[in-house]
Amino acid sequence: MPFHFTCPHCNHRVRVDDSLVGQTGECAVCGKPITVEPDPEDLLAPKSAQQTDNAGSSIAVLLVTLGGMGLLIALVVVLVVLSMPSTQLAQATAKQQACAGNLARIGQAMLDYHDDHGHFPPAYIAAADGTPRHSWRVLLLPYLGENALYRNYDMSSSWDNPQHAWQVSPMPDIYHCPDDTFSNSTIETSYLVVSGQGCVFDGAKTTQLSDITDGPGNTILLVEVAACSQNWLEPKDLDRSTVPLALNSGAAREIGSYHPAGGAHAVMADGTVRWLGNLTSSQVLNALLSIDAGDTVAE
């Protein structure tokens, strides 16, 4: 029987299968050591309450926040989730949490890079003529425990030099979302930054935390992108001037994912991972992408 487990370090709560009771490991969100035990209220609640807890809380939140057609859409989503077999739902949750864990580690690597260099990495390192040559994903390798891959990467040649195909292959798992089954997990990334004027990333320019006057917790570092079919080495990301201010709308190269919950993760400039639902407004996304527009977004 699935139950709730709450990380004692970051208080992230997730529903897991009872076969995991007593097992130890690392929290997928904060990375700290944990031992899986059910929350006390799950031990006291009858089975029927356990089975409907997630759905009931989801319905309560949706009823409070949505109305009209939004309410109808929300109820349909809840019904779809309820119709999923418990094992399928548990697997879906595990993959989403693994994705959040990937992004949390990348966010921390960004901050570690900032500590060493006094600024975040640029979206790309450019050649003398301004042509993008190397991606931020390569620059972060030493901060993700991928020192051997970083040593094998030839910074004197462009990212698309054929030698890179075998010197730094396969792509580190951390750059791929487990739910993104439509991408090649050995070479295609699921995580991009949004680059452009007013963002943390702007081509070959660099940004310091002190430049983010909207507040690091209110500003996006990087996001999920579903099936963008992009080589992880390519120094290319989402363009601020063309990226849709909507999630999972069906447009090419947009913020989105294949998570059943409907939405996508974003890493903020303070390293925290934030869930953005499909109904996130364009105004909110626009505010989260800017570093100094004077707009903030409440949690």
Side-chain angles (χ1 to χ4, degrees), residues 214-290:
D214 285 348
N218 285 296
T219 307
I220 286 176
L221 271 183
L222 67 147
V223 295
E224 289 189 79
V225 179
C228 64
S229 301
Q230 180 177 313
N231 189 303
W232 73 284
L233 295 175
E234 185 176 4
K236 181 180 179 181
D237 289 272
L238 296 181
D239 186 337
R240 177 67 182 86
S241 64
T242 59
V243 64
L245 291 178
L247 280 80
N248 295 311
S249 67
R253 298 185 68 80
E254 65 173 350
I255 302 172
S257 76
Y258 291 109
H259 300 310
H265 295 104
V267 183
M268 313 310 289
D270 62 357
T272 59
V273 179
R274 189 165 181 168
W275 176 254
L276 303 175
N278 282 342
L279 298 179
T280 303
S281 71
S282 59
Q283 291 82 3
V284 167
L285 282 178
N286 192 55
L288 291 174
L289 289 172
S290 65

Side-chain angles (χ1 to χ4, degrees), residues 56-79:
S57 60
S58 298
I59 292 173
V61 171
L62 291 168
L63 288 175
V64 169
T65 58
L66 299 174
M69 287 302 295
L71 175 58
L72 178 59
I73 294 171
L75 290 175
V76 170
V77 171
V78 171
L79 290 174

Side-chain angles (χ1 to χ4, degrees), residues 201-215:
F201 297 91
D202 187 4
K205 300 177 182 178
T206 58
T207 298
Q208 301 176 351
L209 277 169
S210 58
D211 297 325
I212 307 175
T213 56
D214 285 348

Side-chain angles (χ1 to χ4, degrees), residues 126-188:
D129 63 358
T131 302
R133 198 164 193 181
H134 308 297
S135 169
W136 62 268
R137 284 173 287 274
V138 172
L139 299 180
L140 281 194
L141 288 176
Y143 299 90
L144 294 169
E146 298 289 351
N147 296 293
L149 280 184
Y150 186 71
R151 288 193 298 269
N152 287 337
Y153 186 85
D154 184 6
M155 297 294 287
S156 67
S157 63
S158 180
W159 73 273
D160 52 357
N161 186 318
Q163 70 179 355
H164 288 145
W166 60 269
Q167 286 181 329
V168 289
S169 179
M171 173 183 71
D173 290 340
I174 196 170
Y175 283 140
H176 189 265
C177 170
D179 266 330
D180 189 357
T181 57
F182 291 90
S183 295
N184 184 336
S185 62
T186 64
I187 59 172
E188 294 176 354

